[in-house]
């Protein structure tokens, strides 16, 4: 990794990647990218590139994992060996086990779990390139993939982090800011219900800075939510166009 620059944010409030304090990285979202899966999505969030495939709802196997009154979400967050500069071991790390759990718990409140007793969905998250904030980007894409699988949802879940670099609270930290900065606060939100489904903090913040960071992350989530809905709509508009062409032929 590169040496810590003297300043992660300069006097004019410009960060080392050229962004302002409250600016998101560029985002690209696509739905229905794995035709053989029941639902899928792809996200580019800054330099993060993440693919999500969802299978189900289907009967849960092994049977001892079945719940008689609700469905089960099984989630696997995995970073490809080539997703970071140093080859990452393909074996699940403690970090990946933790992220699989927190992502699953961030998604669960959005799903009507009791509609599918004894069933389950598998959410496979493959990080192809990681550059900070992958848990948030994974949540944004996984929620889209679950919607694409046709599950009725209370709301989409969207993830975004804020944190502190040098002495400034900023939105959406990238890898160098995450590693060299003072704190990182990932948040997941169901914007329409105004409900937070993930809140973590790594580092040290004053109570006032924590408030600022959470509010900034929530505003970031709301901006990404607009793009999330647009990505879902785009898939159905394309399908509608294709159907129209077939009918006309
Ligand atoms: P998040 O990706 O949600 O921010 P972390 O804070 O744990 O999760 O990780 C921050 C960043 O550190 C990741 O996005 C990735 O760029 C980098 N990283 C994670 N694991 C490794 C690893 N094994 N080797 C190199 N870089 C890693």
């Amino acid at each position: 990794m590169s040496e810590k620059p003297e300043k992660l944010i300069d006097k004019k409030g410009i960060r080392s990647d050229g962004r302002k304090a409250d600016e998101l990285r560029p985002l690209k979202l696509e739905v229905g990218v794995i035709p053989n899966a029941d639902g899928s999505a792809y996200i580019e969030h800054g330099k993060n590139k993440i693919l999500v495939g969802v299978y189900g709802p289907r009967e849960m196997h092994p049977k001892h994992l079945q719940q008689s009154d609700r469905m089960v979400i099984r989630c696997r967050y995995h970073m490809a060996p080539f997703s970071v500069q140093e080859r990452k071991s393909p074996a699940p790390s403690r970090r990946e086990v933790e992220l699989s759990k927190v992502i699953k718990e961030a998604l669960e409140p959005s799903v009507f779990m009791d509609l599918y007793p004894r069933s389950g969905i598998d959410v496979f998250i493959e990080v192809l390139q990681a550059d900070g904030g992958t848990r948030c980007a994974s949540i944004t894409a996984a929620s889209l993939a679950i919607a694409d699988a046709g599950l009725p949802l209370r709301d989409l879940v969207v993830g975004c982090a804020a944190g502190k670099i040098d002495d400034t609270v900023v939105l959406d930290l990238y890898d160098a800011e995450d590693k060299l900065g003072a704190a990182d606060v990932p948040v997941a939100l169901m914007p329409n219900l105004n409900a937070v489904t993930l809140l973590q903090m790594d580092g040290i913040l004053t109570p006032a800075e924590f408030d600022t960071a959470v509010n900034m992350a929530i505003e970031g989530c709301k901006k990404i939510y607009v793009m999330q809905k647009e990505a879902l709509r785009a898939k159905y508009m394309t399908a509608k166009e294709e159907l129209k062409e077939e009918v006309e032929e």
Side-chain angles (χ1 to χ4, degrees):
M1 197 180 43
S2 52
E3 291 286 297
K4 184 178 190 304
E6 212 167 298
K7 288 246 161 260
L8 287 169
I9 183 159
D10 70 14
K11 277 193 217 126
K12 289 183 183 153
I14 302 298
R15 293 151 72 174
S16 48
D17 64 353
R19 282 184 292 155
K20 297 192 207 102
D22 61 350
E23 196 175 330
L24 284 170
R25 288 173 283 181
L27 272 109
K28 189 180 140 193
L29 288 158
E30 209 178 324
V31 175
V33 288
I34 309 173
N36 283 0
D38 294 307
S40 57
Y42 173 67
I43 184 166
E44 287 182 9
H45 186 146
K47 290 185 185 155
N48 292 314
K49 291 175 189 275
I50 303 169
L51 195 56
V52 182
V54 168
Y55 292 81
R58 57 189 177 186
E59 192 180 352
M60 188 67 192
H61 285 289
K63 276 200 163 166
H64 70 86
L65 293 180
Q66 287 184 2
Q67 298 288 332
S68 58
D69 57 345
R70 63 182 178 91
M71 83 174 214
V72 172
I73 296 181
R74 199 160 38 180
C75 179
R76 186 185 97 134
Y77 165 99
H78 180 249
M79 283 194 4
F82 53 82
S83 63
V84 284
Q85 217 138 31
E86 290 269 316
R87 176 184 178 272
K88 192 222 144 259
S89 159
S93 62
R94 283 175 62 120
R95 175 179 170 276
E96 286 168 304
V97 173
E98 180 213 324
L99 292 206
S100 300
K101 180 176 186 289
V102 298
I103 292 169
K104 163 190 146 88
E105 288 173 0
L107 296 167
E108 272 173 349
S110 70
V111 179
F112 291 96
M113 305 285 280
D114 50 355
L115 289 183
Y116 302 95
R118 297 184 207 285
S119 309
I121 57 167
D122 281 294
V123 180
F124 296 106
I125 299 166
E126 286 296 319
V127 180
L128 308 177
Q129 181 165 280
D131 193 47
T134 58
R135 81 193 63 199
C136 291
S138 298
I139 290 168
T140 305
S143 183
L144 270 181
I146 293 173
D148 185 41
L151 272 91
L153 299 178
R154 292 187 173 87
D155 197 359
L156 288 166
V157 188
V158 47
C160 188
K164 185 177 162 190
I165 54 170
D166 299 340
D167 290 323
T168 312
V169 176
V170 298
L171 182 64
D172 190 19
L173 283 71
Y174 78 102
D175 190 53
E177 293 178 329
D178 187 326
K179 293 211 168 75
L180 306 169
D184 183 29
V185 182
V187 172
L189 180 76
M190 293 194 286
N192 215 22
L193 301 175
N194 206 21
V196 169
T197 67
L198 169 96
L199 179 58
Q200 295 185 293
M201 183 168 105
D202 183 12
I204 297 172
L205 293 174
T206 64
E209 285 168 344
F210 177 75
D211 272 359
T212 310
V214 171
N215 286 322
M216 207 181 235
I218 286 176
E219 288 313 308
C221 285
K222 288 181 181 167
K223 287 186 188 147
I224 301 172
Y225 186 55
V226 176
M227 298 180 231
Q228 225 182 357
K229 286 190 290 185
E230 189 45 50
L232 209 48
R233 195 174 297 123
K235 179 188 165 180
Y236 290 100
M237 292 313 284
T238 312
K240 199 172 145 191
E241 287 301 315
E242 283 171 1
L243 197 65
K244 207 170 123 193
E245 279 166 23
E246 269 177 38
V247 171
E248 281 168 3
E249 271 169 17

